[in-house]
Amino acid sequence: MSERVIPLIDQRLVSVPARVPSVATAATGLLSDTRGRPLRDLRISVTDRCNFRCSYCMPKSIFDKDYPYLPHSALLSFEEITRVARQFVAHGVQKIRLTGGEPLLRKNLEILIEQLAALRTVEGQPLDITLTTNGSLLTRKANALKASGLQRVTVSLDGLDDTIFRAMNDVDFPVADVLDGIAAAQAAGLGPIKINMVVKRGTNDDQILPMARHFKGSGIVLRFIEYMDVGATNGWRMDEVLPSAEVVQRIHRELPLVQLGASAPGETAERWGYADGTGEIGVISSVTQAFCGDCNRARLSTEGQLYLCLFASQGHDLRQLIRGDATDEQLSSAIASIWQGRGDRYSELRASLPPDAGQGKRRVEMSYIGG
Ligand code: SAM
Ligand code: SF4
Ligand code: SF4
């Protein structure tokens, strides 16, 4: 087999300055983009570092000991994150997801969660605050996270077989420790817990049924994610994508499923319930079924770049405003004008692109802006 060439393009260098419009935009919570999509969901990356090296996200060949991670001074401080999050919330954001890299590697993360938990939506409600983690530090941190105001967690877990799991995280991390972390999160009341499993054909697709059996009836929702062509370093190939329809078929053959309605507008997962009423699973078909039509998600990178799409080729530099002399009103207007100009819908357009078109292109890495 010929070796894959994985080009490295440092996406962090590509950003456009965020401009303050000459006329201020009032924050009414009713912002919409060029396709009429509101802003509801903000994903904040709190670190670009991780203790795993999942090959689909941070392949070891690139994210090695010489990789130039961001220096601490480049990261937004908790106060800066909270300040910018407050402006997003005033524009209609109801849900904040902390991500990374591995978010639990950011020191004193509980302090940030406490600050975010004090924010209120336009309707005066608390935010829905959640966190996506690889679970490796959950046993140690679950109680403190709950106490700081975190409501729930999503844990990434790509299989139950220890050999397969160790190979996928590529740092030989045992699956038992993640399962302990999930149990600790459950005991701490960080629920309802979701589990994300990225499915790669030929690598872990034989884990679909064991995972479904394991979590059925546990109150935990298992979600299968199609392996995506995100970033430019993972050597993505279409033939390694296992379509969600096939995941559902494989499970349905042994554990009958019925389709359920969407839980909320903009929800990425299609929901399926076990016919015997013992819970549900979700499938996220980012490759085979575009869901850009109601995508209401914005992403803030670790250093304060605003991305309008997971597949964006450039960010909008909010940090320069945050660290400059911009007032809250100016920051808020800049965010509004960026969202109002948004037309991104990469997944919808993917079908018309040549196969594997993204590899080698300028594209932001998932470990930099989070999932
Ligand atoms: N480190 C944390 C974790 O793994 O949960 C949070 C960050 S990680 C980038 C967020 C999510 O993105 C994880 O569920 C991960 O499995 C998913 N992900 C990363 N690369 C992916 C890819 N190429 N295709 C699909 N999902 C991917
Ligand atoms: Fe780390 Fe999460 Fe990426 Fe895996 S998916 S390398 S755990 S950031
Ligand atoms: Fe949203 Fe971009 Fe994904 Fe479409 S491709 S659903 S616009 S993040």
Side-chain angles (χ1 to χ4, degrees), residues 291-292 295 297 299 309-311 342 344-347:
F291 42 73
C292 304
C295 176
R297 296 178 286 285
R299 294 177 161 87
C309 175
L310 198 47
F311 298 91
R342 175 185 190 243
D344 301 60
R345 52 186 189 111
Y346 173 80
S347 285

Side-chain angles (χ1 to χ4, degrees), residues 65-122:
K65 65 175 178 27
D66 299 322
Y67 184 79
Y69 293 99
L70 297 169
H72 192 73
S73 60
L75 313 189
L76 291 190
S77 68
F78 293 161
E79 287 66 32
E80 288 171 333
I81 292 176
T82 306
R83 178 180 172 209
V84 75
R86 187 178 293 114
Q87 313 309 322
F88 276 94
V89 170
H91 282 304
V93 161
Q94 296 168 345
K95 175 171 161 187
I96 291 186
R97 177 178 296 279
L98 299 177
T99 176
E102 173 45 45
L104 298 185
L105 289 181
R106 179 87 187 247
K107 250 202 207 144
N108 302 322
L109 188 68
E110 297 79 11
I111 296 175
L112 173 65
I113 296 170
E114 270 171 27
Q115 292 177 7
L116 296 174
L119 300 178
R120 290 292 172 267
T121 66
V122 176

